[in-house]
């Protein structure tokens, strides 16, 4: 069975740019037969600012709040993740950090790859997320997609929008996905025996 890859959309603000790279990812990855695709939009998982009495690393899926439990069950299904991240003040968005902090075992021993955008292609946000991923016992991939201003600005202006505006990044996405699927399959096999 093909691994389930979830695309997690980090930005939740109205009018977010994130919807454009998301549409491109769904367009390019939706028809592949080496993975199953699911979109996890954090807008669909509104959470309070983190206030759990017991940290998720210790609660082990026993959450007091149905919203958190629902997010946990959703993330639990995946074999790997692609996080789509904006960059706010040289970091990744608080909406993403807040969601991540609410879970823990669901992410353990799974790979994660990143698609970022901004003045430096979200590189600073992605580097920070890689550090965070290690604490979640995840395997962050080397390959990321960085949407730099040469593509970002035309994409922002593109009206009506077409995923083709991101075509210059198709080969980079192909590399990312190839590595992510390899890790997803390898770690799923490893998780199944220990
Ligand atoms: C609070 C804030 C801080 C920002 N800081 C950065 C930054 O450090 N680097 C960058 O490249 N873009 C920065 N931007 C511009 C964002 O890249 C741009 O607004 C982008 O559309 C945000 O992604 P989103 O629309 O999907 O939320 C910032 C935007 C906001 C709202």
């Amino acid at each position: 069975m093909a691994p389930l890859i979830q695309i997690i959309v980090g930005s939740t603000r109205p009018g977010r740019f994130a919807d454009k790279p998301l549409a491109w990812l769904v367009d390019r990855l939706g028809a592949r037969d080496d993975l199953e695709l699911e979109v996890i939009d954090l807008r669909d998982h509104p959470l309070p600012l983190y206030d759990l009495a017991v940290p998720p690393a210790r609660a082990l899926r026993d959450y007091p709040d149905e919203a958190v439990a629902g997010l946990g069950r959703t993330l639990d299904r995946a074999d790997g993740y692609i996080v789509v991240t904006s960059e706010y003040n040289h970091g990744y968005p608080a909406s993403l950090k807040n969601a991540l902090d609410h879970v823990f075992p669901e992410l353990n021993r799974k790979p994660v790859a990143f698609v970022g955008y901004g003045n430096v292609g979200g590189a600073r946000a992605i580097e920070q997320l890689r550090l965070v991923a290690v604490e979640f016992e995840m395997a962050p991939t080397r390959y990321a997609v960085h949407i730099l201003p040469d593509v970002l600005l035309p994409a922002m202006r593109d009206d009506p929008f077409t995923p083709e505006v991101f075509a210059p990044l198709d080969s980079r996405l192909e590399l990312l996905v190839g590595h992510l699927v390899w890790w997803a399959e390898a770690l799923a096999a490893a998780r199944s025996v220990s």
Side-chain angles (χ1 to χ4, degrees), residues 37-121:
L37 195 67
E38 187 178 2
V39 174
I40 309 303
D41 190 339
L42 295 182
R43 281 180 181 164
D44 298 331
H45 296 276
L47 299 169
L49 195 56
Y50 183 88
D51 63 355
L52 296 180
V54 181
R58 278 202 282 119
L60 299 180
R61 296 181 173 82
D62 182 15
Y63 300 117
D65 182 327
E66 179 46 35
V68 181
L71 176 64
R73 282 195 301 273
T74 299
L75 296 173
D76 236 351
R77 289 199 289 270
D79 296 302
Y81 308 92
I82 298 173
V83 172
V84 179
T85 186
S86 52
E87 185 174 286
Y88 294 164
N89 297 310
H90 294 198
Y92 56 93
S95 48
L96 181 54
K97 184 69 161 79
N98 195 49
L100 291 173
D101 286 344
H102 276 88
V103 294
F104 188 82
E106 298 86 349
L107 305 178
N108 292 173
R109 299 180 177 182
K110 296 178 181 177
V112 57
F114 301 99
V115 174
Y117 47 89
N119 297 329
V120 294

Side-chain angles (χ1 to χ4, degrees), residues 5-179:
I5 303 297
Q6 291 181 340
I7 302 174
I8 300 176
V9 188
S11 172
T12 55
R13 71 174 193 91
R16 65 187 179 189
F17 177 76
D19 288 317
K20 293 185 173 183
L22 173 63
W24 169 60
L25 292 171
V26 170
D27 183 72
R28 297 307 200 256
L29 307 187
R32 289 178 72 117
D33 56 13
D34 60 344
L35 58 86
E36 295 287 323
L37 195 67
E38 187 178 2
V39 174
I40 309 303
D41 190 339
L42 295 182
R43 281 180 181 164
D44 298 331
H45 296 276
L47 299 169
L49 195 56
Y50 183 88
D51 63 355
L52 296 180
V54 181
R58 278 202 282 119
L60 299 180
R61 296 181 173 82
D62 182 15
Y63 300 117
D65 182 327
E66 179 46 35
V68 181
L71 176 64
R73 282 195 301 273
T74 299
L75 296 173
D76 236 351
R77 289 199 289 270
D79 296 302
Y81 308 92
I82 298 173
V83 172
V84 179
T85 186
S86 52
E87 185 174 286
Y88 294 164
N89 297 310
H90 294 198
Y92 56 93
S95 48
L96 181 54
K97 184 69 161 79
N98 195 49
L100 291 173
D101 286 344
H102 276 88
V103 294
F104 188 82
E106 298 86 349
L107 305 178
N108 292 173
R109 299 180 177 182
K110 296 178 181 177
V112 57
F114 301 99
V115 174
Y117 47 89
N119 297 329
V120 294
R124 293 166 293 222
I126 289 173
E127 286 299 291
Q128 292 177 20
L129 279 163
R130 287 188 169 123
L131 294 175
V132 172
V134 171
E135 177 58 12
F136 280 104
E137 295 181 30
M138 302 180 87
T141 63
R142 174 186 183 212
Y143 291 99
V145 172
H146 297 283
I147 303 173
L148 290 152
D150 62 331
V151 172
L152 177 72
L153 297 178
M156 279 179 163
R157 287 193 292 263
D158 200 27
D159 185 19
F161 168 74
T162 156
E164 292 315 308
V165 74
F166 295 111
L169 297 168
D170 280 345
S171 59
R172 189 72 187 176
L173 178 62
E174 185 68 27
L175 270 174
L176 177 155
V177 173
H179 283 257

